[in-house]
mmCIF file of all heavy atoms in Angstrom:
data_model
loop_
_atom_site.group_PDB
_atom_site.id
_atom_site.type_symbol
_atom_site.label_atom_id
_atom_site.label_comp_id
_atom_site.label_asym_id
_atom_site.label_seq_id
_atom_site.Cartn_x
_atom_site.Cartn_y
_atom_site.Cartn_z
ATOM 1 N N LEU A 1 89.173 54.170 6.394
ATOM 2 C CA LEU A 1 90.602 53.855 6.741
ATOM 3 C C LEU A 1 91.248 53.369 5.495
ATOM 4 O O LEU A 1 90.568 52.814 4.608
ATOM 5 C CB LEU A 1 90.624 52.797 7.856
ATOM 6 C CG LEU A 1 89.794 53.113 9.197
ATOM 7 C CD1 LEU A 1 89.816 51.948 10.134
ATOM 8 C CD2 LEU A 1 90.315 54.362 9.762
ATOM 9 N N ILE A 2 92.556 53.635 5.496
ATOM 10 C CA ILE A 2 93.485 53.024 4.464
ATOM 11 C C ILE A 2 94.043 51.782 4.775
ATOM 12 O O ILE A 2 94.455 51.548 5.952
ATOM 13 C CB ILE A 2 94.631 54.019 4.107
ATOM 14 C CG1 ILE A 2 93.904 55.311 3.488
ATOM 15 C CG2 ILE A 2 95.536 53.357 3.117
ATOM 16 C CD1 ILE A 2 95.022 56.317 3.138
ATOM 17 N N VAL A 3 93.886 50.798 3.943
ATOM 18 C CA VAL A 3 94.420 49.344 4.166
ATOM 19 C C VAL A 3 95.870 49.369 3.590
ATOM 20 O O VAL A 3 96.007 49.619 2.417
ATOM 21 C CB VAL A 3 93.647 48.253 3.530
ATOM 22 C CG1 VAL A 3 94.316 46.941 3.864
ATOM 23 C CG2 VAL A 3 92.193 48.373 3.981
ATOM 24 N N HIS A 4 96.852 49.101 4.447
ATOM 25 C CA HIS A 4 98.199 48.974 4.068
ATOM 26 C C HIS A 4 98.536 47.482 3.802
ATOM 27 O O HIS A 4 98.358 46.565 4.643
ATOM 28 C CB HIS A 4 99.104 49.485 5.199
ATOM 29 C CG HIS A 4 98.913 51.072 5.336
ATOM 30 N ND1 HIS A 4 97.732 51.637 5.789
ATOM 31 C CD2 HIS A 4 99.922 52.000 5.170
ATOM 32 C CE1 HIS A 4 97.951 52.922 5.770
ATOM 33 N NE2 HIS A 4 99.241 53.217 5.455
ATOM 34 N N ILE A 5 99.272 47.231 2.756
ATOM 35 C CA ILE A 5 99.669 45.896 2.291
ATOM 36 C C ILE A 5 101.179 45.984 2.158
ATOM 37 O O ILE A 5 101.802 46.939 2.042
ATOM 38 C CB ILE A 5 98.868 45.449 1.027
ATOM 39 C CG1 ILE A 5 99.325 46.326 -0.088
ATOM 40 C CG2 ILE A 5 97.355 45.416 1.231
ATOM 41 C CD1 ILE A 5 98.748 45.911 -1.518
ATOM 42 N N ALA A 6 101.782 44.745 1.898
ATOM 43 C CA ALA A 6 103.293 44.589 1.944
ATOM 44 C C ALA A 6 103.741 43.923 0.569
ATOM 45 O O ALA A 6 104.820 43.902 0.336
ATOM 46 C CB ALA A 6 103.786 43.671 3.074
ATOM 47 N N GLU A 7 102.799 43.473 -0.204
ATOM 48 C CA GLU A 7 103.105 42.810 -1.477
ATOM 49 C C GLU A 7 102.036 43.262 -2.450
ATOM 50 O O GLU A 7 100.836 43.364 -2.050
ATOM 51 C CB GLU A 7 103.011 41.357 -1.471
ATOM 52 C CG GLU A 7 103.909 40.723 -0.399
ATOM 53 C CD GLU A 7 105.376 40.853 -0.662
ATOM 54 O OE1 GLU A 7 105.702 41.176 -1.799
ATOM 55 O OE2 GLU A 7 106.198 40.744 0.140
ATOM 56 N N PRO A 8 102.515 43.709 -3.726
ATOM 57 C CA PRO A 8 101.477 44.147 -4.708
ATOM 58 C C PRO A 8 100.361 43.116 -4.917
ATOM 59 O O PRO A 8 99.123 43.465 -5.093
ATOM 60 C CB PRO A 8 102.206 44.322 -5.773
ATOM 61 C CG PRO A 8 103.619 44.638 -5.431
ATOM 62 C CD PRO A 8 103.753 43.799 -4.258
ATOM 63 N N GLY A 9 100.680 41.836 -4.823
ATOM 64 C CA GLY A 9 99.593 40.730 -5.009
ATOM 65 C C GLY A 9 98.509 40.799 -3.977
ATOM 66 O O GLY A 9 97.382 40.274 -4.141
ATOM 67 N N ASP A 10 98.779 41.419 -2.659
ATOM 68 C CA ASP A 10 97.872 41.442 -1.623
ATOM 69 C C ASP A 10 96.435 42.269 -2.063
ATOM 70 O O ASP A 10 95.544 42.106 -1.520
ATOM 71 C CB ASP A 10 98.234 42.134 -0.420
ATOM 72 C CG ASP A 10 99.372 41.135 0.295
ATOM 73 O OD1 ASP A 10 99.327 39.873 0.041
ATOM 74 O OD2 ASP A 10 100.168 41.648 1.109
ATOM 75 N N ILE A 11 96.623 43.167 -3.068
ATOM 76 C CA ILE A 11 95.507 43.864 -3.573
ATOM 77 C C ILE A 11 94.485 42.942 -4.106
ATOM 78 O O ILE A 11 93.287 43.327 -3.979
ATOM 79 C CB ILE A 11 95.963 44.800 -4.734
ATOM 80 C CG1 ILE A 11 94.938 45.852 -5.031
ATOM 81 C CG2 ILE A 11 96.198 44.037 -6.056
ATOM 82 C CD1 ILE A 11 95.478 47.016 -6.117
ATOM 83 N N ASN A 12 94.716 41.728 -4.538
ATOM 84 C CA ASN A 12 93.690 40.809 -5.017
ATOM 85 C C ASN A 12 92.939 40.299 -3.786
ATOM 86 O O ASN A 12 91.857 39.722 -4.146
ATOM 87 C CB ASN A 12 94.467 39.636 -5.800
ATOM 88 C CG ASN A 12 95.153 40.218 -7.015
ATOM 89 O OD1 ASN A 12 94.479 40.597 -7.928
ATOM 90 N ND2 ASN A 12 96.500 40.079 -6.944
ATOM 91 N N ARG A 13 93.408 40.375 -2.664
ATOM 92 C CA ARG A 13 92.672 39.760 -1.535
ATOM 93 C C ARG A 13 91.518 40.689 -1.233
ATOM 94 O O ARG A 13 90.411 40.151 -0.551
ATOM 95 C CB ARG A 13 93.560 39.708 -0.363
ATOM 96 C CG ARG A 13 94.660 38.616 -0.510
ATOM 97 C CD ARG A 13 95.585 38.631 0.583
ATOM 98 N NE ARG A 13 94.997 38.365 1.912
ATOM 99 C CZ ARG A 13 95.657 38.403 3.041
ATOM 100 N NH1 ARG A 13 96.866 38.735 3.174
ATOM 101 N NH2 ARG A 13 94.909 38.204 4.296
ATOM 102 N N ILE A 14 91.751 42.059 -1.451
ATOM 103 C CA ILE A 14 90.593 42.874 -0.962
ATOM 104 C C ILE A 14 89.931 43.752 -1.994
ATOM 105 O O ILE A 14 88.966 44.270 -1.619
ATOM 106 C CB ILE A 14 91.317 43.744 0.086
ATOM 107 C CG1 ILE A 14 92.442 44.494 -0.469
ATOM 108 C CG2 ILE A 14 91.687 43.033 1.327
ATOM 109 C CD1 ILE A 14 93.193 45.488 0.457
ATOM 110 N N ALA A 15 90.376 43.722 -3.243
ATOM 111 C CA ALA A 15 89.777 44.589 -4.222
ATOM 112 C C ALA A 15 88.960 43.744 -5.243
ATOM 113 O O ALA A 15 89.502 42.643 -5.652
ATOM 114 C CB ALA A 15 90.803 45.406 -5.068
ATOM 115 N N ARG A 16 87.769 43.983 -5.465
ATOM 116 C CA ARG A 16 86.936 43.139 -6.301
ATOM 117 C C ARG A 16 87.297 43.368 -7.737
ATOM 118 O O ARG A 16 87.211 42.380 -8.515
ATOM 119 C CB ARG A 16 85.461 43.491 -6.118
ATOM 120 C CG ARG A 16 84.472 42.609 -6.715
ATOM 121 C CD ARG A 16 82.984 43.030 -6.368
ATOM 122 N NE ARG A 16 82.510 44.277 -7.051
ATOM 123 C CZ ARG A 16 82.333 45.452 -6.247
ATOM 124 N NH1 ARG A 16 82.655 45.419 -4.917
ATOM 125 N NH2 ARG A 16 81.950 46.508 -6.801
ATOM 126 N N GLU A 17 87.680 44.618 -8.133
ATOM 127 C CA GLU A 17 88.095 44.802 -9.556
ATOM 128 C C GLU A 17 89.351 45.642 -9.489
ATOM 129 O O GLU A 17 89.574 46.462 -8.748
ATOM 130 C CB GLU A 17 86.885 45.660 -10.326
ATOM 131 C CG GLU A 17 85.687 45.028 -10.394
ATOM 132 C CD GLU A 17 84.656 45.929 -10.975
ATOM 133 O OE1 GLU A 17 84.871 46.926 -11.554
ATOM 134 O OE2 GLU A 17 83.418 45.657 -10.756
ATOM 135 N N ILE A 18 90.271 45.288 -10.387
ATOM 136 C CA ILE A 18 91.542 45.939 -10.568
ATOM 137 C C ILE A 18 91.719 46.397 -12.012
ATOM 138 O O ILE A 18 92.257 45.670 -12.806
ATOM 139 C CB ILE A 18 92.712 45.090 -10.086
ATOM 140 C CG1 ILE A 18 92.453 44.469 -8.691
ATOM 141 C CG2 ILE A 18 93.974 45.861 -9.925
ATOM 142 C CD1 ILE A 18 93.402 43.302 -8.402
ATOM 143 N N PRO A 19 91.432 47.787 -12.218
ATOM 144 C CA PRO A 19 91.392 48.190 -13.665
ATOM 145 C C PRO A 19 92.869 48.224 -14.080
ATOM 146 O O PRO A 19 93.779 48.264 -13.256
ATOM 147 C CB PRO A 19 90.836 49.629 -13.655
ATOM 148 C CG PRO A 19 90.937 49.969 -12.206
ATOM 149 C CD PRO A 19 90.894 48.663 -11.375
ATOM 150 N N SER A 20 93.226 48.267 -15.342
ATOM 151 C CA SER A 20 94.454 48.453 -15.848
ATOM 152 C C SER A 20 95.229 49.617 -15.455
ATOM 153 O O SER A 20 96.463 49.598 -15.171
ATOM 154 C CB SER A 20 94.463 48.536 -17.445
ATOM 155 O OG SER A 20 93.683 49.656 -17.904
ATOM 156 N N ALA A 21 94.474 50.743 -15.061
ATOM 157 C CA ALA A 21 95.103 51.939 -14.569
ATOM 158 C C ALA A 21 95.667 51.688 -13.179
ATOM 159 O O ALA A 21 96.857 52.097 -12.828
ATOM 160 C CB ALA A 21 94.145 53.192 -14.470
ATOM 161 N N ALA A 22 95.147 50.855 -12.497
ATOM 162 C CA ALA A 22 95.658 50.466 -11.100
ATOM 163 C C ALA A 22 96.794 49.650 -11.228
ATOM 164 O O ALA A 22 97.823 49.735 -10.517
ATOM 165 C CB ALA A 22 94.504 49.687 -10.313
ATOM 166 N N GLN A 23 96.775 48.797 -12.250
ATOM 167 C CA GLN A 23 98.085 47.909 -12.410
ATOM 168 C C GLN A 23 99.255 48.820 -12.816
ATOM 169 O O GLN A 23 100.377 48.528 -12.330
ATOM 170 C CB GLN A 23 97.811 46.938 -13.390
ATOM 171 C CG GLN A 23 96.747 45.815 -13.164
ATOM 172 C CD GLN A 23 97.314 44.771 -12.260
ATOM 173 O OE1 GLN A 23 98.382 44.896 -11.733
ATOM 174 N NE2 GLN A 23 96.350 43.886 -11.792
ATOM 175 N N THR A 24 98.971 49.714 -13.668
ATOM 176 C CA THR A 24 99.943 50.613 -14.179
ATOM 177 C C THR A 24 100.594 51.449 -12.986
ATOM 178 O O THR A 24 101.827 51.603 -12.672
ATOM 179 C CB THR A 24 99.493 51.644 -15.270
ATOM 180 O OG1 THR A 24 99.120 50.804 -16.403
ATOM 181 C CG2 THR A 24 100.554 52.543 -15.689
ATOM 182 N N LEU A 25 99.770 51.918 -12.177
ATOM 183 C CA LEU A 25 100.175 52.960 -10.956
ATOM 184 C C LEU A 25 100.834 52.064 -10.020
ATOM 185 O O LEU A 25 101.871 52.476 -9.321
ATOM 186 C CB LEU A 25 99.006 53.549 -10.446
ATOM 187 C CG LEU A 25 98.304 54.583 -11.322
ATOM 188 C CD1 LEU A 25 97.061 55.213 -10.696
ATOM 189 C CD2 LEU A 25 99.349 55.704 -11.756
ATOM 190 N N LEU A 26 100.422 50.856 -9.630
ATOM 191 C CA LEU A 26 101.159 50.131 -8.559
ATOM 192 C C LEU A 26 102.499 49.657 -8.981
ATOM 193 O O LEU A 26 103.457 49.741 -8.185
ATOM 194 C CB LEU A 26 100.270 48.909 -8.104
ATOM 195 C CG LEU A 26 100.218 47.675 -8.973
ATOM 196 C CD1 LEU A 26 101.241 46.707 -8.921
ATOM 197 C CD2 LEU A 26 98.915 46.930 -8.741
ATOM 198 N N HIS A 27 102.721 49.506 -10.328
ATOM 199 C CA HIS A 27 104.015 48.993 -10.800
ATOM 200 C C HIS A 27 104.926 50.268 -10.912
ATOM 201 O O HIS A 27 106.111 50.309 -10.676
ATOM 202 C CB HIS A 27 103.953 48.504 -12.154
ATOM 203 C CG HIS A 27 103.460 47.163 -12.274
ATOM 204 N ND1 HIS A 27 104.077 46.080 -11.633
ATOM 205 C CD2 HIS A 27 102.400 46.568 -12.817
ATOM 206 C CE1 HIS A 27 103.493 45.059 -11.955
ATOM 207 N NE2 HIS A 27 102.389 45.238 -12.558
ATOM 208 N N ALA A 28 104.189 51.506 -11.051
ATOM 209 C CA ALA A 28 105.003 52.805 -11.155
ATOM 210 C C ALA A 28 105.344 53.248 -9.658
ATOM 211 O O ALA A 28 106.440 53.886 -9.481
ATOM 212 C CB ALA A 28 104.340 53.848 -11.936
ATOM 213 N N PHE A 29 104.492 53.273 -8.751
ATOM 214 C CA PHE A 29 104.603 53.988 -7.566
ATOM 215 C C PHE A 29 104.563 53.225 -6.210
ATOM 216 O O PHE A 29 104.758 53.749 -5.126
ATOM 217 C CB PHE A 29 103.529 55.051 -7.417
ATOM 218 C CG PHE A 29 103.573 56.110 -8.530
ATOM 219 C CD1 PHE A 29 102.470 56.098 -9.441
ATOM 220 C CD2 PHE A 29 104.659 56.958 -8.719
ATOM 221 C CE1 PHE A 29 102.709 56.911 -10.565
ATOM 222 C CE2 PHE A 29 104.585 57.783 -9.730
ATOM 223 C CZ PHE A 29 103.754 57.893 -10.712
ATOM 224 N N TRP A 30 104.372 51.888 -6.328
ATOM 225 C CA TRP A 30 104.461 51.033 -5.044
ATOM 226 C C TRP A 30 105.795 50.332 -5.047
ATOM 227 O O TRP A 30 106.231 49.823 -6.103
ATOM 228 C CB TRP A 30 103.271 50.105 -4.991
ATOM 229 C CG TRP A 30 101.960 50.679 -4.683
ATOM 230 C CD1 TRP A 30 101.717 52.026 -4.452
ATOM 231 C CD2 TRP A 30 100.739 49.883 -4.625
ATOM 232 N NE1 TRP A 30 100.415 52.068 -4.001
ATOM 233 C CE2 TRP A 30 99.720 50.852 -4.183
ATOM 234 C CE3 TRP A 30 100.372 48.579 -4.561
ATOM 235 C CZ2 TRP A 30 98.379 50.399 -3.850
ATOM 236 C CZ3 TRP A 30 99.100 48.274 -4.406
ATOM 237 C CH2 TRP A 30 98.157 49.040 -3.955
ATOM 238 N N PRO A 31 106.380 50.244 -3.816
ATOM 239 C CA PRO A 31 105.851 50.817 -2.577
ATOM 240 C C PRO A 31 106.083 52.347 -2.687
ATOM 241 O O PRO A 31 107.088 52.861 -3.178
ATOM 242 C CB PRO A 31 106.663 50.146 -1.527
ATOM 243 C CG PRO A 31 107.950 49.709 -2.163
ATOM 244 C CD PRO A 31 107.545 49.374 -3.596
ATOM 245 N N GLY A 32 105.216 53.092 -2.135
ATOM 246 C CA GLY A 32 105.361 54.551 -1.995
ATOM 247 C C GLY A 32 104.064 55.180 -1.569
ATOM 248 O O GLY A 32 103.053 54.479 -1.261
ATOM 249 N N PRO A 33 104.025 56.579 -1.607
ATOM 250 C CA PRO A 33 102.989 57.393 -1.119
ATOM 251 C C PRO A 33 101.726 57.595 -1.984
ATOM 252 O O PRO A 33 101.360 58.664 -2.147
ATOM 253 C CB PRO A 33 103.668 58.759 -0.634
ATOM 254 C CG PRO A 33 104.631 58.823 -1.758
ATOM 255 C CD PRO A 33 105.141 57.367 -1.988
ATOM 256 N N LEU A 34 101.157 56.422 -2.476
ATOM 257 C CA LEU A 34 100.002 56.591 -3.244
ATOM 258 C C LEU A 34 98.909 55.522 -2.867
ATOM 259 O O LEU A 34 99.338 54.362 -2.701
ATOM 260 C CB LEU A 34 100.349 56.166 -4.886
ATOM 261 C CG LEU A 34 99.163 56.198 -5.785
ATOM 262 C CD1 LEU A 34 98.648 57.657 -5.887
ATOM 263 C CD2 LEU A 34 99.590 55.701 -7.114
ATOM 264 N N THR A 35 97.850 56.052 -2.485
ATOM 265 C CA THR A 35 96.604 55.206 -2.184
ATOM 266 C C THR A 35 95.655 55.190 -3.257
ATOM 267 O O THR A 35 95.392 56.197 -3.856
ATOM 268 C CB THR A 35 95.951 55.856 -0.912
ATOM 269 O OG1 THR A 35 96.863 55.706 0.178
ATOM 270 C CG2 THR A 35 94.666 55.057 -0.530
ATOM 271 N N MET A 36 95.145 54.074 -3.668
ATOM 272 C CA MET A 36 94.119 53.779 -4.745
ATOM 273 C C MET A 36 92.872 53.439 -4.118
ATOM 274 O O MET A 36 92.891 52.437 -3.206
ATOM 275 C CB MET A 36 94.688 52.778 -5.762
ATOM 276 C CG MET A 36 95.857 53.305 -6.489
ATOM 277 S SD MET A 36 96.385 52.273 -7.900
ATOM 278 C CE MET A 36 97.073 50.790 -7.033
ATOM 279 N N ILE A 37 91.779 54.036 -4.557
ATOM 280 C CA ILE A 37 90.419 53.558 -4.079
ATOM 281 C C ILE A 37 89.807 52.738 -5.215
ATOM 282 O O ILE A 37 89.879 52.970 -6.383
ATOM 283 C CB ILE A 37 89.445 54.794 -4.095
ATOM 284 C CG1 ILE A 37 90.015 55.878 -3.238
ATOM 285 C CG2 ILE A 37 88.055 54.381 -3.627
ATOM 286 C CD1 ILE A 37 89.970 55.612 -1.758
ATOM 287 N N LEU A 38 89.379 51.400 -4.751
ATOM 288 C CA LEU A 38 88.943 50.435 -5.678
ATOM 289 C C LEU A 38 87.678 49.806 -5.153
ATOM 290 O O LEU A 38 87.417 49.899 -3.844
ATOM 291 C CB LEU A 38 90.028 49.290 -5.841
ATOM 292 C CG LEU A 38 91.287 49.797 -6.616
ATOM 293 C CD1 LEU A 38 92.331 48.672 -6.603
ATOM 294 C CD2 LEU A 38 91.022 50.182 -8.030
#
C-alpha cells in the first residue's frame, strides 16, 4: 500500500533513510503524483 502524507517532513516519521535524490524529488514534485520507495 502507498502511505499518503500531508507535509514533506512527515517522510521522516516512516522512512529510515532519505537519500539526496529523494530530497531533490520531493522538492520538485510534491505535492503531486510521484510515489517514492524508501
Side-chain angles (χ1 to χ4, degrees):
L1 307 176
I2 294 174
V3 179
H4 291 64
I5 64 178
E7 304 294 340
D10 288 339
I11 195 172
N12 297 291
R13 296 174 56 185
I14 53 178
R16 190 174 69 251
E17 299 173 18
I18 306 170
S20 59
Q23 295 284 0
T24 299
L25 293 177
L26 74 84
H27 286 299
F29 299 114
W30 279 5
L34 178 68
T35 295
M36 293 190 285
I37 305 288
L38 297 170

